[in-house]
Amino acid sequence: MARTKEFDPDAALQAALELFWRRGYEATSMADLVAHLGIGRASLYATFGSKHELYLKALDRYQAGSDAPLVRELSGPGPALPAVRGVVRRFAAEATAEERRLTGCFVTNTAAELAPHDPAAARRVEHSWDQLETLLRAALVRAQAQGELAADRDPLALARMLLVLMQGLRVVGKASSDPARARDAAEQALALLD
């Protein structure tokens, strides 16, 4: 007869996500995961596979949770340009908020740490960025159709510029204690939408 799990896999995955997010992939050992999750090594492997597989599952979970609010913000009814501005300003504020500054963004952290040499991680980072770019572009196309954005502006190029800015805000926010740096950069980028 098969034994039942003595732990909640969903809670364990969330705990692993938080540990990886705070420490990074390389700085988190299997011993760290066993201690932090309170799960035996064999159970951890049986449930999640390798450390790498667990990391990717944690990254998938993070993306699912962080993408939903962006979809709501950028796809809602009404004027689109204020929604785009709000998202960019929120990224700047979050990037420099003390409770978020030291952890940064899990996707951005993965891009810097793993994506250059880990194809599975790189695919997930690209997927996240593609989704954000698509949401921004769709909002900018809507803004153009509603007369909020000039007809001669390129929504795709603007979406890409904002994507790069937003990811840069996350990197700068993690390394800098000066919130004006991120805020000023965001406002200068948003001025290009006028």
Side-chain angles (χ1 to χ4, degrees):
M1 180 173 241
R3 289 180 45 184
T4 59
K5 291 200 184 310
E6 298 175 7
F7 65 94
D8 178 356
D10 189 59
L13 182 57
Q14 182 63 35
L17 183 163
E18 292 164 5
L19 185 63
F20 281 130
W21 188 3
R22 191 170 57 252
R23 297 187 66 189
Y25 179 77
E26 292 298 331
T28 304
S29 68
M30 279 304 284
D32 295 330
L33 287 162
V34 166
H36 186 72
L37 277 58
I39 300 169
R41 188 179 294 263
S43 293
L44 195 58
Y45 281 120
T47 303
F48 299 110
S50 68
K51 172 184 152 182
H52 186 255
E53 290 171 301
L54 176 56
Y55 184 90
L56 295 176
K57 288 173 184 169
L59 182 59
D60 291 342
R61 180 186 186 98
Y62 175 87
Q63 288 176 304
S66 62
D67 288 347
L70 288 170
V71 170
R72 280 192 305 277
E73 288 175 79
L74 293 171
S75 302
L81 213 47
V84 171
R85 285 190 174 102
V87 165
V88 172
R89 287 180 178 130
R90 182 171 56 77
F91 266 61
E94 285 176 358
T96 57
E98 195 56 39
E99 68 275 1
R100 187 80 184 261
R101 194 174 75 76
L102 298 178
T103 55
C105 166
F106 196 18
V107 173
T108 306
N109 296 350
T110 301
E113 183 182 13
L114 294 181
H117 56 81
D118 183 332
R123 278 191 303 278
R124 283 166 170 81
V125 168
E126 280 295 327
H127 173 75
S128 177
W129 290 349
D130 286 346
Q131 184 162 353
L132 178 54
E133 180 181 294
T134 298
L135 287 168
L136 288 165
R137 180 179 184 213
L140 292 167
V141 165
R142 229 174 60 248
Q144 214 167 37
Q146 295 171 173
E148 303 168 63
L149 183 66
D152 65 344
R153 306 309 300 274
D154 181 349
L156 177 58
L158 287 171
R160 288 181 170 167
M161 182 268 304
L162 291 174
L163 168 69
V164 170
L165 167 82
M166 291 160 77
Q167 294 307 301
L169 290 172
R170 297 253 168 104
V171 172
V172 170
K174 188 171 181 177
S176 174
S177 60
D178 181 6
R181 182 173 281 144
R183 186 178 55 246
D184 291 349
E187 291 306 319
Q188 285 302 305
L190 290 175
L192 298 173
L193 301 179
D194 293 334

